[in-house]
Amino acid sequence: MAIRTPSDAAEFVQRSATWHMGDIAHVSQQLQADDQGLSTDEAVRRQAEFGPNRLPQRSTHSPWQIVSRQFSSPLIYVLIVASIVSMSIGDYKDAGFIAAVLAVNALIGSYQEWRAEKSRQALQRLLHVRALVTRDGMTQEIDAEEVVPGDIIWLESGNRVPADLRLINTQGVEVDESLLTGESLAVRKECEWSGEPSAPLADRLNLAYAASIVIRGRAKGIVVATGVSTLIGQLAIDVLSSEGGKPPLIERMERFSKSIAVAVVGAVVVVSMLGIFIHKQTLSEMFLFGVALAVSAIPEGLPAALTVALAVATTRMARRGVIVRRLAAVEGLGSCTMIASDKTGTLTCNELTVRSIWLDGESQIDVVGVGFAPMGNLLLNDQPVSADTSPSLANLVRGAILCNEAALYQHKGKWEWRGDPTDIALLSLGIKAGLSRESLIHHSPEIEAIPFEPEQQFAATCHRINGQPTLFVKGAPERVLGMCDGPCGTFHFDRLLAVAESMAAQGYRVLGLADGTGEVNHASDGAPLPPNGLTFRGFVGMIDPLRPGVIDAVNRCHSAGIRVCMVTGDHPVTALAIARELGLADNPGQVVNGADLAKFNEEELLAAIRRGRVFARVGPRQKLELVNAARADGHFVAVTGDGVNDAPALKAANVGMAMGRSGTDVAREAADLIISDDNFSTLVNGVEEGRIAYDNIRKVIYLLVSAGTAEVLLIGVAFAAGTLLPLPFLPVQLLWLNLVTNGIQGVALAFEPGDENVLKRKPRPPREPIFDQLMFERTIVAAIVMAVVGVLTFSWMIYSNWTTVEARNGLLLLMVLFENIHIGNCRSETESALLRSPLRSPLLLAGAIGALLIHVAGMHIPFLQELLQTTPVSWKTWSALLGLSLTVFVALELHKWTWKLRYNQSGKDSQE
């Protein structure tokens, strides 16, 4: 295809997914390229047509735009109006308090958005490399941004691939594509391979993708896609264009804010009308009173208390290994109903480990320990075994150590390594068995080696032992067995091959080992020939093992009602084996292949989400589609990941969690939370803290709304009584009550410790409002009790010849006492306040005492007495009002008891 016009360029981009098909001659013809490379003039023309080889850049938002977006919430709108009106009537203290809350929230939100802008910069850095290219028949190094489709690129070990390439020539090339595919092992590339259009990304062996890293070997390739057309370019578009899923708290608070704004405005209008038509108050007087009532009823302390609750949870999470980037994600993790977890590095260690040995296909030895560090031992029939006690084991391990190119050593008390993961795992096995490479090499110097090549499926080394040349071979089981005349015992090829296949079915990567006397033979062209006449020593089965504690963490998720799914680029057999060990899946029917996902329509995708527990051979775009499908199915989705391939899904999820150690910059910048130790168990600790944060937010909302509702009801009932009762409060007294009691206690309640059974509850339904049936009933009971007792007390005082000023002073003190008692009811939704020691939450106790002391000061300090029209009261009055305030405690205790009887919860949350 000639690439001449913009329309041709668009067609070129559309066809970029099929470059793994056809022979290289056809690809070169389409790209109008040859071994001499492009001319400089043609390269300049193509760059003008396709653009520089860099990722798309999103237009940045101005600081003003970022700040202004922080105020787009119904509750914020109401608070802004309340603050403006408060200032207009001279109430600068309350107006200042509201303004300060809004400013703090805006600063926090603006900072988080500014941090999110860095995701684009992290993506851009991945392509800012140099490339070795052939131009005008000469090989030269250029900036990767200058690479264009049709360029001939040369790669060697350590290079980062500058663009998507169709490989022309490969020499033992292995490429690390984990940041794109999630595949834990390096991929062996084969330029002769070709496949169908539906071949999974990880199986396209004749392609090398931009941003992947060459681990070993050399290669030559032709550029088939640059910039936005590359695989990583498409991921960049997904990341930068995605708005991301909203954390559950944000969704619930938006719905709650709209509801409370409507309710408060409606209540204030009704009360104001009663005041005008029944009490004959003037319109201006009721306007001032209505504003005071609205400010009192609206929980303006809620944003501050919410921020404090999330900040407290953030600190607690940090102590447990979870770093929070977005405050709202704290509670989101606690509300998630589904966790889509990456396998490599999260559920597993991302360090190959030998777990099983079959000596001669007869005796099975279990290998204890995980990871490259050689901590553990070997067990035969549950008894320790080593190279000293088992000659057969010594022969196998000796070959594994000598036929090896890696290094594993201790440095300053820590184990360090370099080389191929398979070789490192074998060296770790050797140390566990009691043999060291240094000692063996000293007594058995290497003469010659046959390096591993994918085509030959084995590697071999020749060593001089006691003056005799000896060959050691490792490789694919069937290849090694074909070189053997027999093991130490009777040789049964088919039976041994069946053992290897059985190990592979369990998810192991299986290697055969053999040795024999003799030298490396060579063909007439000097190439080494495969050995023969060897003695088979056994198989080793290695796997990327589970992280310690991850099985218990998965079980805790199941107990918490959270569905855990594994999403990986690994082979379905390997993924199912890991899932069985984890308890995630037990049959192939629960495994969904990426190749099948590509064919599913919307309904079939939803069905796959509902039945699947393991999603294998999944590409980056498919992982994003899975997250969107799960959200569409009603789940609040948390996603874990560490690579560039995970970034779109991390951003689209309700909560994205990146790995702190192994994660890429892109993944971390796209995520809401960072798991500092890459451990799934730490994630579950975060779920626990998130649920505690949500519980505390509900407690704060309940306290503020029930108190505000009580005040509105009390005033409404007093107004409805007509001329029988005067106004129960002055506007300034309402504002004082709101600022002193609710403001202090609401923040203190955010520090309440969590319940022990927090992870034994089911997740709350995704569409359940934050103000649910339990909270509604509890609010109505508390508000009615406080309002009725308050009105009756106020009426008694008026008809007992108290002056209006004295009656208001007594009622104000009663409401302060009510809220100090009521805060004890708010500490648990279902558990009796009598079972919770006040000392368990010292900050809350101090907040309640502090609020009471501030009001006592308001009753005794002259300028506050004049402002609030308060006076000291006798101890007899104190005692009577304290006794009356206990009625709300009794009423709420009765409601908790009846709630348990109605829903048979036995102390559990109603949503369980």
Side-chain angles (χ1 to χ4, degrees):
M1 180 185 75
I3 306 173
R4 298 296 180 192
T5 68
S7 60
D8 291 335
E11 182 183 351
F12 172 84
V13 172
Q14 293 173 1
R15 300 184 67 251
S16 63
T18 63
W19 288 116
H20 63 285
M21 300 173 59
D23 58 33
I24 193 64
H26 179 63
V27 172
S28 297
Q29 183 181 6
Q30 287 183 297
L31 293 165
Q32 294 186 335
D34 54 37
D35 284 344
Q36 297 300 308
L38 302 175
S39 67
T40 301
D41 291 341
E42 177 64 12
V44 171
R45 189 197 65 77
R46 293 194 183 192
Q47 186 160 64
E49 184 172 8
F50 289 98
N53 181 34
R54 60 171 178 250
L55 300 179
Q57 303 204 12
R58 181 176 60 189
S59 59
T60 58
H61 298 290
S62 68
W64 168 249
Q65 289 175 311
I66 293 176
V67 172
S68 64
R69 275 204 301 270
Q70 312 312 314
F71 295 91
S72 57
S73 162
L75 182 58
I76 298 298
Y77 298 152
V78 175
L79 291 177
I80 291 173
V81 172
S83 179
I84 293 172
V85 175
S86 295
M87 290 183 65
S88 68
I89 64 175
D91 179 28
Y92 298 108
K93 291 182 180 179
D94 215 68
F97 174 73
I98 297 173
V101 168
L102 296 178
V104 170
N105 287 339
L107 286 174
I108 294 173
S110 299
Y111 173 74
Q112 297 297 338
E113 279 207 30
W114 173 77
R115 289 279 298 169
E117 288 290 332
K118 289 192 173 181
S119 60
R120 178 188 58 79
Q121 300 172 13
L123 279 165
Q124 189 64 45
R125 285 197 295 271
L126 287 175
L127 280 185
H128 195 69
V129 294
R130 303 286 290 175
L132 196 63
V133 61
T134 298
R135 293 267 179 91
D136 298 316
M138 300 175 59
T139 300
Q140 53 188 292
E141 188 178 61
I142 64 173
D143 193 283
E145 288 194 2
E146 300 175 19
V147 170
V148 296
D151 265 331
I152 303 298
I153 301 292
W154 298 83
L155 299 173
E156 62 182 17
S157 179
N159 287 165
R160 189 181 292 276
V161 181
D164 286 359
L165 310 178
R166 170 64 189 268
L167 298 175
I168 301 171
N169 180 271
T170 53
Q171 300 176 26
V173 174
E174 294 186 13
V175 179
D176 179 3
E177 296 178 344
S178 60
L179 81 169
L180 294 168
T181 66
E183 182 74 54
S184 55
L185 296 176
V187 180
R188 299 186 181 93
K189 296 296 182 178
E190 301 175 11
C191 58
E192 296 85 4
W193 180 92
S194 63
E196 298 298 322
S198 61
L201 181 148
D203 291 343
R204 298 178 183 180
L205 304 183
N206 59 9
L207 293 181
Y209 299 104
S212 59
I213 300 174
V214 179
I215 297 298
R216 64 173 62 188
R218 296 174 178 270
K220 176 184 175 183
I222 184 169
V223 176
V224 296
T226 59
V228 70
S229 303
T230 63
L231 175 64
I232 192 176
Q234 294 301 306
L235 291 174
I237 292 176
D238 290 336
V239 171
L240 299 178
S241 63
S242 172
E243 293 299 323
K246 289 183 180 179
L249 180 62
I250 297 300
E251 294 185 351
R252 286 175 170 139
M253 286 304 298
E254 286 179 352
R255 296 195 296 269
F256 173 70
S257 299
K258 293 175 183 177
S259 300
I260 199 169
V262 172
V264 167
V265 171
V268 169
V269 169
V270 171
V271 170
S272 298
M273 292 299 100
L274 289 174
I276 292 172
F277 293 108
I278 295 179
H279 283 264
K280 307 304 179 181
Q281 299 288 325
T282 65
L283 181 61
S284 60
E285 288 174 332
M286 286 315 301
F287 174 76
L288 295 177
F289 189 87
V291 169
L293 181 60
V295 172
S296 180
I298 292 173
E300 69 264 31
L302 180 57
L306 188 149
T307 301
V308 169
L310 296 180
V312 169
T314 296
T315 302
R316 292 172 176 172
M317 281 186 171
R319 294 194 193 109
R320 304 181 75 173
V322 181
I323 301 169
V324 177
R325 296 187 65 248
R326 289 176 60 196
L327 277 181
V330 171
E331 181 276 331
L333 184 57
S335 291
C336 69
T337 61
M338 175 179 174
I339 297 176
S341 177
D342 191 28
K343 176 185 75 70
T344 305
T346 307
L347 298 172
T348 64
C349 295
N350 198 21
E351 296 177 6
L352 278 179
T353 305
V354 176
R355 295 288 294 273
S356 182
I357 300 173
W358 282 86
L359 294 175
D360 310 330
E362 299 289 345
S363 303
Q364 181 181 4
I365 295 177
D366 297 318
V367 183
V368 180
V370 296
F372 291 148
M375 310 299 291
N377 58 359
L378 283 66
L379 300 176
L380 176 61
N381 298 324
D382 295 326
Q383 298 298 318
V385 64
S386 67
D388 292 336
T389 60
S390 172
S392 297
L393 176 63
N395 288 330
L396 178 141
V397 174
R398 181 178 61 168
I401 292 176
L402 290 175
C403 188
N404 200 300
E405 298 180 49
L408 177 63
Y409 54 91
Q410 275 191 307
H411 178 67
K412 295 183 179 180
K414 294 183 179 181
W415 286 98
E416 297 185 5
W417 48 79
R418 59 176 173 79
D420 183 82
T422 301
D423 283 349
I424 299 172
L426 293 175
L427 291 181
S428 179
L429 169 66
I431 296 174
K432 291 177 183 178
L435 297 178
S436 72
R437 178 172 171 79
E438 292 75 13
S439 176
L440 287 176
I441 288 293
H442 177 74
H443 295 95
S444 310
E446 184 178 306
I447 303 172
E448 190 175 359
I450 303 176
F452 181 87
E453 294 290 347
E455 298 81 7
Q456 63 188 18
Q457 295 186 310
F458 78 94
T461 55
C462 182
H463 298 260
R464 189 170 302 282
I465 301 177
N466 298 325
Q468 294 285 332
T470 303
L471 289 167
F472 295 93
V473 177
K474 68 180 179 189
E478 62 277 9
R479 188 74 167 113
V480 173
L481 285 172
M483 301 176 185
C484 298
D485 287 342
C488 295
T490 306
F491 183 70
H492 298 290
F493 183 92
D494 291 340
R495 182 180 59 77
L496 291 173
L497 199 57
V499 170
E501 291 172 351
S502 174
M503 295 176 71
Q506 298 175 54
Y508 289 118
R509 184 184 186 192
V510 185
L511 288 180
L513 292 108
D515 59 46
T517 57
E519 298 180 345
V520 176
N521 296 317
H522 298 80
S524 57
D525 60 358
L529 294 173
N532 55 57
L534 303 178
T535 299
F536 179 69
R537 296 300 184 185
F539 298 120
V540 296
M542 56 184 67
I543 199 169
D544 184 4
L546 296 178
R547 283 184 172 274
V550 72
I551 295 177
D552 177 65
V554 170
N555 290 335
R556 290 170 68 196
C557 283
H558 290 162
S559 298
I562 301 172
R563 180 177 168 190
V564 181
C565 295
M566 180 195 300
V567 183
T568 178
D570 276 350
H571 192 279
V573 172
T574 303
L576 179 58
I578 294 292
R580 280 178 169 149
E581 196 172 352
L582 282 168
L584 290 182
D586 52 20
N587 65 79
Q590 295 172 300
V591 180
V592 180
N593 199 319
D596 296 328
L597 280 176
K599 304 172 186 176
F600 288 165
N601 58 32
E602 186 175 341
E603 290 184 2
E604 290 171 328
L605 186 58
L606 287 176
I609 285 289
R610 291 163 187 163
R611 71 174 172 87
R613 294 296 181 271
V614 178
F615 298 88
R617 277 291 190 257
V618 172
R621 183 66 63 85
Q622 290 176 321
K623 189 168 184 176
L624 175 61
E625 291 171 352
L626 287 172
V627 171
N628 289 333
R631 289 180 58 201
D633 198 36
H635 284 286
F636 277 143
V637 185
V639 171
T640 71
D642 56 2
V644 178
N645 62 312
D646 299 315
L650 287 170
K651 191 167 184 183
N654 293 99
V655 181
M657 297 169 288
M659 301 299 106
R661 291 183 178 176
S662 61
T664 60
D665 287 344
V666 179
R668 286 193 287 265
E669 293 298 338
D672 306 299
L673 305 170
I674 297 174
I675 309 301
S676 61
D677 59 0
D678 295 9
N679 197 329
F680 188 84
S681 301
T682 301
L683 183 157
V684 181
N685 294 336
V687 171
E688 183 177 11
E689 292 296 343
R691 290 192 172 186
I692 293 172
Y694 182 70
D695 287 348
N696 287 349
I697 290 168
R698 280 174 57 89
K699 294 169 187 176
V700 172
I701 290 175
Y702 169 51
L703 172 67
L704 298 180
V705 173
S706 59
T709 304
E711 293 165 16
V712 172
L713 283 178
L714 190 156
I715 295 170
V717 171
F719 275 16
T723 57
L724 297 176
L725 292 175
L727 293 179
F729 292 117
L730 296 175
V732 69
Q733 291 174 329
L734 280 175
L735 297 175
W736 171 262
L737 184 64
N738 186 55
L739 184 62
V740 171
T741 56
N742 291 349
I744 296 174
Q745 295 173 349
V747 171
L749 194 58
F751 288 84
E752 182 73 9
D755 296 332
E756 294 181 358
N757 67 340
V758 69
L759 275 183
K760 295 180 182 178
R761 305 190 316 232
K762 302 298 181 185
R764 298 181 183 275
R767 298 302 301 173
E768 178 188 86
I770 197 167
F771 204 80
D772 58 4
Q773 180 185 350
L774 172 61
M775 193 180 292
F776 177 78
E777 288 188 20
R778 198 68 51 78
T779 296
I780 294 300
V781 170
I784 288 177
V785 169
M786 287 190 281
V788 170
V789 173
V791 168
L792 292 176
T793 303
F794 186 63
S795 302
W796 179 86
M797 288 186 288
I798 292 294
Y799 285 98
S800 295
N801 296 320
W802 289 35
T803 66
T804 301
V805 172
E806 291 172 336
R808 286 173 177 163
N809 179 56
L811 181 59
L812 188 62
L813 177 57
L814 175 62
M815 294 304 294
V816 170
L817 293 173
F818 261 139
E819 295 189 20
N820 273 274
I821 296 297
H822 186 44
I823 198 172
N825 297 323
C826 299
R827 296 180 65 196
S828 174
E829 294 184 354
T830 54
E831 187 180 77
S832 171
L834 297 174
L835 300 178
R836 297 207 164 198
S837 168
L839 299 178
R840 185 169 181 261
S841 185
L843 190 61
L844 184 62
L845 179 61
I849 295 174
L852 182 60
L853 291 177
I854 289 174
H855 184 69
V856 170
M859 297 167 64
H860 289 80
I861 297 176
F863 84 90
L864 288 176
Q865 288 178 326
E866 182 178 354
L867 176 67
L868 301 172
Q869 294 191 20
T870 55
T871 57
V873 297
S874 66
W875 285 108
K876 182 178 179 181
T877 303
W878 266 99
S879 300
L881 294 178
L882 180 60
L884 289 171
S885 67
L886 292 175
T887 55
V888 72
F889 173 80
V890 175
L892 268 297
E893 287 292 304
L894 288 173
H895 186 271
K896 290 178 181 179
W897 177 66
T898 58
W899 179 269
K900 293 179 183 179
L901 292 180
R902 279 185 290 158
Y903 294 96
N904 192 28
Q905 293 297 297
S906 300
K908 298 180 182 179
D909 279 9
S910 62
Q911 285 78 10
E912 187 171 339

